[in-house]
Structure formats: C-alpha cells, structure tokens
Amino acid sequence: MKKLTGMTLHQGEGPNSYRVRIFLAEKGLEVPMTYVDFGKAEHKAPELLKLNSLGQIPVLVLEDGTVITESVAICRYFEALHPEPALFGADALSIARIEMWNRRLELEVFGTIGNVALHSSDFFKDRLVQFPAFAETQKQAVPHKWAWLDREMSDGRPFIAGDNFSFADINGMVCSWLGEVFGMGIPDGLPNVRRWDERMRSRPSWKA
Ligand SMILES: N[C@@H](CCC(=O)N[C@@H](CS)C(=O)NCC(=O)O)C(=O)O
C-alpha cells in the first residue's frame, strides 16, 4: 500500500463511497479518511455543506483546500496521478469500452436499483417526493437488467469491459452489493454474471 498524505477523503456508508474505496484498494493507495455518519446527519452539517452544497459524500479535500466531489471524478483524479494499474483504460479502444460499460451499468443497473431506494427508503423521504408505485415498477425491472448483463457476458469475457479488470467491474461490484442490500441481488439462473460476481467477491478490494 502506498500511503498518500496532504488530503482527506470524507466518506461513509453507501455505494458512492464504496466505489472510491474499492478503487483505492485496487490501486494500492491509502488515503487519510474521515467517517461521515448518516445516522447523525453529519452529511448535512454546516462543515460538510461548506465542502459539498449537495450534502453528499464522498468528498476529497486537497492540502490547498481544493474540493473534488463526485465519486468518479475522485477516482479519475487518482488515476491521473497514479496511472498503474490503468482502471479507466490505456488506449483508445479500452478507454472507450470501459466508459461505455460505466455508462451502461450506471444508467441501466445502478440507476434502476437506485430508483427503488430513492422512492421507497425513509432515508430519502426529505430529499424528493417519493412515488412508491414507481419504486415497485423499478424493482420489477431489476432482474431483467441483471439478465441483460448476463446475455451480454455470454461471450465468455472474464470482465465487464473485456479481458482486464477495470472501473466498469468496480461499478458492477457496487451494483451487486447495493442490489443485495435492497433485496435485488443477482437472481438465480444467470451463470455468466454469477461467475463474474464470485470472482469479484474474492478480490481483496471487495472488503474495502
Ligand atoms: N453522484 C454522486 C452521488 C453522491 C451520493 O449520492 N452520495 C450518497 C451516499 S452513497 C449521499 O451522500 N447521500 C446523502 C443524500 O443524498 O442526502 C457521486 O457519485 O459521488
């Protein structure tokens, strides 16, 4: 592990902090972190709102006070400074394929699971007008999203974006974990995604 100093990552529970922690573990980077406790509404405390007006984590603060929010932006910052292993791709085609799968996973799988959470969990009741019926339709859609990914991976590729582990797999890991938390994990009968998921869960970074 390479210890980085002169920065603080404010993070806590939830898929977006988890995404950054997996990424850092895969990179072999150790970053000073604080734990933002949702239970104590610390993400809506004035100190955090000063850093991120949306009151969300993760937030990376650099030594000179520069603030970077958005989990993917934080990961891209570290990728630029520590290019190996290249998790966002290293050549035109791999960069495009990884971005393509990031977008597809976020929009198709993460977004659908997220809509169920947003429209049914008490945690979000003050953040938006919840439509439980919408949550229900999205919940029914989730198994079809996993089945779609299974068909896509039936070509036998070991990782979501091809032959190498990438940020697309990290997004997939976050989807798998979040789905499980909300009772929308990978359904039975999808051998390609199941095999991929087992491999991801055996990576040390899964525990990040
Ligand atoms: N697009 C942002 C989303 C950040 C986000 O929604 N974080 C969640 C935790 S996973 C949060 O802080 N939620 C509290 C809230 O929205 O009030 C990212 O990728 O970092």
Side-chain angles (χ1 to χ4, degrees):
M1 278 283 171
K2 184 169 180 185
K3 279 190 186 211
L4 303 183
T5 54
M7 60 181 71
T8 306
L9 180 68
H10 301 280
Q11 55 81 48
E13 305 296 330
N16 295 293
S17 290
Y18 186 34
R19 182 181 288 135
V20 176
R21 291 197 307 269
I22 298 174
F23 180 84
L24 291 172
E26 290 285 346
K27 283 278 185 190
L29 299 174
E30 209 176 297
V31 172
M33 294 185 193
T34 70
Y35 179 78
V36 178
D37 191 340
F38 286 137
K40 296 182 184 155
E42 286 176 354
H43 57 308
K44 303 300 177 197
E47 307 81 63
L48 201 286
L49 286 171
K50 223 185 289 168
L51 301 176
N52 183 358
S53 53
L54 293 175
Q56 295 176 339
I57 50 172
V59 178
L60 179 68
V61 183
L62 305 182
E63 201 160 28
D64 68 356
T66 302
V67 173
I68 306 172
T69 67
E70 296 298 324
S71 53
V72 180
I74 292 169
C75 293
R76 284 196 175 275
Y77 174 75
F78 286 116
E79 174 96 349
L81 289 178
H82 306 274
E84 295 295 331
L87 296 179
F88 284 98
D91 55 63
L93 192 56
S94 64
I95 291 169
R97 281 181 65 86
I98 292 164
E99 185 61 18
M100 165 182 145
W101 278 104
N102 280 337
R103 298 286 293 166
R104 294 181 120 190
L105 283 171
E106 283 222 24
L107 296 170
E108 296 296 324
V109 189
F110 188 84
T112 311
I113 297 171
N115 279 336
V116 179
L118 280 171
H119 287 272
S120 64
S121 165
D122 267 4
F123 182 74
F124 295 110
K125 69 178 187 320
D126 298 326
R127 176 161 148 195
L128 78 169
V129 180
Q130 293 183 311
F131 288 94
F134 178 58
E136 195 44 49
T137 61
Q138 291 288 279
K139 191 167 190 167
Q140 285 168 21
V142 173
H144 299 288
K145 302 293 181 182
W146 285 124
W148 162 74
L149 187 59
D150 192 74
R151 287 194 301 279
E152 285 282 346
M153 294 189 77
S154 65
D155 59 6
R157 63 186 190 260
F159 298 103
I160 289 180
D163 288 336
N164 298 306
F165 180 86
S166 76
F167 196 74
D169 296 293
I170 295 179
N171 267 334
M173 290 160 82
V174 169
C175 290
S176 172
W177 171 80
L178 188 66
E180 192 174 72
V181 168
F182 283 97
M184 291 171 279
I186 297 163
D188 290 339
L190 303 178
N192 304 305
V193 176
R194 174 72 60 203
R195 275 197 294 272
W196 165 84
D197 189 53
E198 280 165 6
R199 284 199 308 277
M200 296 305 109
R201 283 167 190 260
S202 70
R203 294 178 83 85
S205 64
W206 177 268
K207 295 195 171 65

